[in-house]
Amino acid sequence: MKKIYYLMLMMLPFFMQSCLKDDDEVFDKNPSERMDEALKEYKSLLASSEKGWVMEYYAAPGQIYGGYVFAMEFTESSVTAYSDLALNQKSTSLYQLIADDGPVLSFDTYNMFLHFFSDPSADMYEAFQGEFEFILMGTSDDKSEIYLKGKKTGNRMTMRRLEVSATEYVGSTVDMYNAVNTAPKYGAIVEGDSVDCTIAGNYLSMAYTDNDASVQTVDMAFCYTPTGIRFYQPITINGVEIASMTYDAETGNLQSAGGELIIYKAKSPLNEIFMTKLWSVNAKNSSAAIQPYFDAVRAASAKENETVGYFQLGGSESFPGYFTWYFLSVINGTSNGYAGNIVYQYKLIGDDKIMLSIYSYDSNGQYYYQGGYSQFANALHGKTFQLAADNLVNPTVITMTDTNNPDFVIMLQSEMLVYPLNY
């Protein structure tokens, strides 16, 4: 035994020499050099896409706010971002690729889209628990996808190489949102069985009985795509993974590729559909009788050296159970402004009427109400409006007509209007 042990000890240096030689071959660069090389490769890849990249972004642990689209065009040092948060707008800022917990993509100067979910305020010191630094986790074999992980939340996201322009891609996702998100109630068909489901924002919730007679729940965030929706991660229905669903314009349904899951709009009265979201006021195409009230809003913002950027009416997630006038007054020459809300109690009458009465406002709502917005706000107070739509199944245009004054007509549309009083 001692002789064998001695021979093994004699051979050990040869094993050690062999291992060290292999290490020299594998690790021909030190960690710092490998990191620098990885950062350069990622930077080159980001700038290589002529039309840019689209990130499906998820803020907060549990992705509770759903998914949003950021389309981005990169140069060597800057990024121009577009988003479904605000159509026909863009924001340019700087970015860096840095070494931290691995290679990190850092949007380190302010961008109104890329920092929307992470920029704190007095009311929300954590904002929406978003982030602007992402650990780069690798790419697909063909370099058409880049995989990322939020540094704080750990939410996994994907950037996909764009084949169309950033504005076209974002526009198509907004169109899809407007097509799908028009019903106060939804239903689902799971392998032929009807069940209740909810779409709130960009989040799907439903429950169904599986093949083993067990009740299964689905709670999953998603992003809108040009063709439908894509889930944060695949959901499983009776053993079948569903990563995305396609919208059928003819039926208005979302459907999985194999038909295991269909989501449809439950038939609802027009006034209920109206209260599912905020609608942009089309002031230019509203009646002459209401133009003086728009003039008053325009003048009130002008006094502040501002211009009305958004002007919306309807149901708001910020004030559930109330009718809301949401506005954004933009500081002239900038992309920043002051958002506010004036809130109404409402009563639905029949299928196509709504009665309004002023109830409250937030701090900015109060400021602008006192500064001149009150004329329009009071023009809605105490009135009953007859609603009409271009399409009762999937409306894109709704008119509100004062039942006591048929000349008083407000036109609204589902598509976002920016600077609606500039005409």
PDB file of all heavy atoms in Angstrom, residues 186-190 193-197 204 206 261-264:
ATOM      1  N   TYR A 186     -65.067  40.986 -19.638  1.00  0.00           N
ATOM      2  CA  TYR A 186     -64.527  40.014 -20.578  1.00  0.00           C
ATOM      3  C   TYR A 186     -64.943  38.626 -20.134  1.00  0.00           C
ATOM      4  O   TYR A 186     -65.297  38.400 -18.971  1.00  0.00           O
ATOM      5  CB  TYR A 186     -62.991  40.098 -20.623  1.00  0.00           C
ATOM      6  CG  TYR A 186     -62.464  41.400 -21.178  1.00  0.00           C
ATOM      7  CD1 TYR A 186     -62.323  42.509 -20.360  1.00  0.00           C
ATOM      8  CD2 TYR A 186     -62.120  41.510 -22.512  1.00  0.00           C
ATOM      9  CE1 TYR A 186     -61.845  43.712 -20.854  1.00  0.00           C
ATOM     10  CE2 TYR A 186     -61.635  42.708 -23.020  1.00  0.00           C
ATOM     11  CZ  TYR A 186     -61.508  43.804 -22.185  1.00  0.00           C
ATOM     12  OH  TYR A 186     -61.043  44.986 -22.682  1.00  0.00           O
ATOM     13  N   GLY A 187     -64.892  37.724 -21.049  1.00  0.00           N
ATOM     14  CA  GLY A 187     -65.106  36.323 -20.745  1.00  0.00           C
ATOM     15  C   GLY A 187     -64.017  35.510 -21.403  1.00  0.00           C
ATOM     16  O   GLY A 187     -63.294  36.005 -22.283  1.00  0.00           O
ATOM     17  N   ALA A 188     -63.873  34.269 -20.986  1.00  0.00           N
ATOM     18  CA  ALA A 188     -62.870  33.390 -21.584  1.00  0.00           C
ATOM     19  C   ALA A 188     -63.487  32.031 -21.857  1.00  0.00           C
ATOM     20  O   ALA A 188     -64.407  31.585 -21.149  1.00  0.00           O
ATOM     21  CB  ALA A 188     -61.659  33.252 -20.670  1.00  0.00           C
ATOM     22  N   ILE A 189     -63.000  31.403 -22.892  1.00  0.00           N
ATOM     23  CA  ILE A 189     -63.387  30.021 -23.208  1.00  0.00           C
ATOM     24  C   ILE A 189     -62.129  29.174 -23.094  1.00  0.00           C
ATOM     25  O   ILE A 189     -61.155  29.373 -23.833  1.00  0.00           O
ATOM     26  CB  ILE A 189     -63.993  29.915 -24.622  1.00  0.00           C
ATOM     27  CG1 ILE A 189     -65.248  30.787 -24.725  1.00  0.00           C
ATOM     28  CG2 ILE A 189     -64.318  28.458 -24.942  1.00  0.00           C
ATOM     29  CD1 ILE A 189     -65.824  30.869 -26.114  1.00  0.00           C
ATOM     30  N   VAL A 190     -62.140  28.273 -22.115  1.00  0.00           N
ATOM     31  CA  VAL A 190     -60.993  27.397 -21.878  1.00  0.00           C
ATOM     32  C   VAL A 190     -61.365  26.006 -22.352  1.00  0.00           C
ATOM     33  O   VAL A 190     -62.181  25.315 -21.728  1.00  0.00           O
ATOM     34  CB  VAL A 190     -60.608  27.368 -20.387  1.00  0.00           C
ATOM     35  CG1 VAL A 190     -59.421  26.440 -20.160  1.00  0.00           C
ATOM     36  CG2 VAL A 190     -60.285  28.772 -19.899  1.00  0.00           C
ATOM     37  N   ASP A 193     -65.083  25.524 -22.399  1.00  0.00           N
ATOM     38  CA  ASP A 193     -65.860  25.915 -21.229  1.00  0.00           C
ATOM     39  C   ASP A 193     -65.745  27.423 -20.992  1.00  0.00           C
ATOM     40  O   ASP A 193     -64.651  27.983 -21.019  1.00  0.00           O
ATOM     41  CB  ASP A 193     -65.373  25.171 -19.975  1.00  0.00           C
ATOM     42  CG  ASP A 193     -65.604  23.673 -20.074  1.00  0.00           C
ATOM     43  OD1 ASP A 193     -66.601  23.276 -20.697  1.00  0.00           O
ATOM     44  OD2 ASP A 193     -64.781  22.903 -19.524  1.00  0.00           O
ATOM     45  N   SER A 194     -66.878  28.085 -20.743  1.00  0.00           N
ATOM     46  CA  SER A 194     -66.895  29.527 -20.499  1.00  0.00           C
ATOM     47  C   SER A 194     -66.578  29.821 -19.039  1.00  0.00           C
ATOM     48  O   SER A 194     -67.126  29.180 -18.128  1.00  0.00           O
ATOM     49  CB  SER A 194     -68.269  30.109 -20.848  1.00  0.00           C
ATOM     50  OG  SER A 194     -68.521  30.002 -22.232  1.00  0.00           O
ATOM     51  N   VAL A 195     -65.685  30.804 -18.816  1.00  0.00           N
ATOM     52  CA  VAL A 195     -65.320  31.225 -17.463  1.00  0.00           C
ATOM     53  C   VAL A 195     -65.207  32.744 -17.452  1.00  0.00           C
ATOM     54  O   VAL A 195     -65.115  33.398 -18.500  1.00  0.00           O
ATOM     55  CB  VAL A 195     -63.974  30.599 -17.009  1.00  0.00           C
ATOM     56  CG1 VAL A 195     -64.049  29.086 -17.021  1.00  0.00           C
ATOM     57  CG2 VAL A 195     -62.822  31.081 -17.885  1.00  0.00           C
ATOM     58  N   ASP A 196     -65.237  33.318 -16.260  1.00  0.00           N
ATOM     59  CA  ASP A 196     -65.046  34.760 -16.122  1.00  0.00           C
ATOM     60  C   ASP A 196     -63.560  35.090 -16.184  1.00  0.00           C
ATOM     61  O   ASP A 196     -62.712  34.307 -15.729  1.00  0.00           O
ATOM     62  CB  ASP A 196     -65.610  35.257 -14.785  1.00  0.00           C
ATOM     63  CG  ASP A 196     -67.125  35.158 -14.732  1.00  0.00           C
ATOM     64  OD1 ASP A 196     -67.754  35.228 -15.807  1.00  0.00           O
ATOM     65  OD2 ASP A 196     -67.669  35.005 -13.623  1.00  0.00           O
ATOM     66  N   CYS A 197     -63.266  36.256 -16.719  1.00  0.00           N
ATOM     67  CA  CYS A 197     -61.889  36.735 -16.676  1.00  0.00           C
ATOM     68  C   CYS A 197     -61.901  38.253 -16.621  1.00  0.00           C
ATOM     69  O   CYS A 197     -62.908  38.897 -16.926  1.00  0.00           O
ATOM     70  CB  CYS A 197     -61.067  36.230 -17.858  1.00  0.00           C
ATOM     71  SG  CYS A 197     -61.333  37.105 -19.398  1.00  0.00           S
ATOM     72  N   LEU A 204     -53.926  40.121 -16.878  1.00  0.00           N
ATOM     73  CA  LEU A 204     -55.011  39.163 -17.058  1.00  0.00           C
ATOM     74  C   LEU A 204     -55.198  38.337 -15.793  1.00  0.00           C
ATOM     75  O   LEU A 204     -54.232  37.817 -15.234  1.00  0.00           O
ATOM     76  CB  LEU A 204     -54.702  38.225 -18.232  1.00  0.00           C
ATOM     77  CG  LEU A 204     -55.638  37.013 -18.399  1.00  0.00           C
ATOM     78  CD1 LEU A 204     -57.025  37.462 -18.838  1.00  0.00           C
ATOM     79  CD2 LEU A 204     -55.057  36.011 -19.395  1.00  0.00           C
ATOM     80  N   MET A 206     -57.910  35.211 -14.268  1.00  0.00           N
ATOM     81  CA  MET A 206     -59.022  34.314 -14.549  1.00  0.00           C
ATOM     82  C   MET A 206     -58.869  33.050 -13.722  1.00  0.00           C
ATOM     83  O   MET A 206     -57.792  32.770 -13.169  1.00  0.00           O
ATOM     84  CB  MET A 206     -59.094  33.955 -16.036  1.00  0.00           C
ATOM     85  CG  MET A 206     -57.829  33.329 -16.597  1.00  0.00           C
ATOM     86  SD  MET A 206     -57.968  32.861 -18.325  1.00  0.00           S
ATOM     87  CE  MET A 206     -58.473  31.157 -18.171  1.00  0.00           C
ATOM     88  N   LEU A 261     -57.304  28.654 -25.482  1.00  0.00           N
ATOM     89  CA  LEU A 261     -57.821  29.788 -24.716  1.00  0.00           C
ATOM     90  C   LEU A 261     -58.306  30.865 -25.675  1.00  0.00           C
ATOM     91  O   LEU A 261     -57.582  31.269 -26.598  1.00  0.00           O
ATOM     92  CB  LEU A 261     -56.726  30.362 -23.806  1.00  0.00           C
ATOM     93  CG  LEU A 261     -57.085  31.620 -23.012  1.00  0.00           C
ATOM     94  CD1 LEU A 261     -58.238  31.354 -22.050  1.00  0.00           C
ATOM     95  CD2 LEU A 261     -55.864  32.140 -22.250  1.00  0.00           C
ATOM     96  N   ILE A 262     -59.536  31.320 -25.463  1.00  0.00           N
ATOM     97  CA  ILE A 262     -60.110  32.437 -26.220  1.00  0.00           C
ATOM     98  C   ILE A 262     -60.621  33.455 -25.211  1.00  0.00           C
ATOM     99  O   ILE A 262     -61.322  33.097 -24.253  1.00  0.00           O
ATOM    100  CB  ILE A 262     -61.269  31.973 -27.133  1.00  0.00           C
ATOM    101  CG1 ILE A 262     -60.757  30.984 -28.187  1.00  0.00           C
ATOM    102  CG2 ILE A 262     -61.942  33.167 -27.802  1.00  0.00           C
ATOM    103  CD1 ILE A 262     -61.870  30.322 -28.986  1.00  0.00           C
ATOM    104  N   ILE A 263     -60.257  34.705 -25.399  1.00  0.00           N
ATOM    105  CA  ILE A 263     -60.760  35.789 -24.553  1.00  0.00           C
ATOM    106  C   ILE A 263     -61.649  36.664 -25.420  1.00  0.00           C
ATOM    107  O   ILE A 263     -61.242  37.111 -26.500  1.00  0.00           O
ATOM    108  CB  ILE A 263     -59.608  36.606 -23.953  1.00  0.00           C
ATOM    109  CG1 ILE A 263     -58.761  35.725 -23.021  1.00  0.00           C
ATOM    110  CG2 ILE A 263     -60.148  37.815 -23.177  1.00  0.00           C
ATOM    111  CD1 ILE A 263     -57.513  36.403 -22.512  1.00  0.00           C
ATOM    112  N   TYR A 264     -62.874  36.898 -24.957  1.00  0.00           N
ATOM    113  CA  TYR A 264     -63.819  37.668 -25.748  1.00  0.00           C
ATOM    114  C   TYR A 264     -64.394  38.814 -24.918  1.00  0.00           C
ATOM    115  O   TYR A 264     -64.324  38.810 -23.675  1.00  0.00           O
ATOM    116  CB  TYR A 264     -64.953  36.778 -26.266  1.00  0.00           C
ATOM    117  CG  TYR A 264     -65.790  36.147 -25.186  1.00  0.00           C
ATOM    118  CD1 TYR A 264     -66.927  36.793 -24.683  1.00  0.00           C
ATOM    119  CD2 TYR A 264     -65.455  34.907 -24.644  1.00  0.00           C
ATOM    120  CE1 TYR A 264     -67.700  36.214 -23.690  1.00  0.00           C
ATOM    121  CE2 TYR A 264     -66.219  34.326 -23.647  1.00  0.00           C
ATOM    122  CZ  TYR A 264     -67.337  34.989 -23.168  1.00  0.00           C
ATOM    123  OH  TYR A 264     -68.096  34.428 -22.171  1.00  0.00           O
TER     124      TYR A 264
END
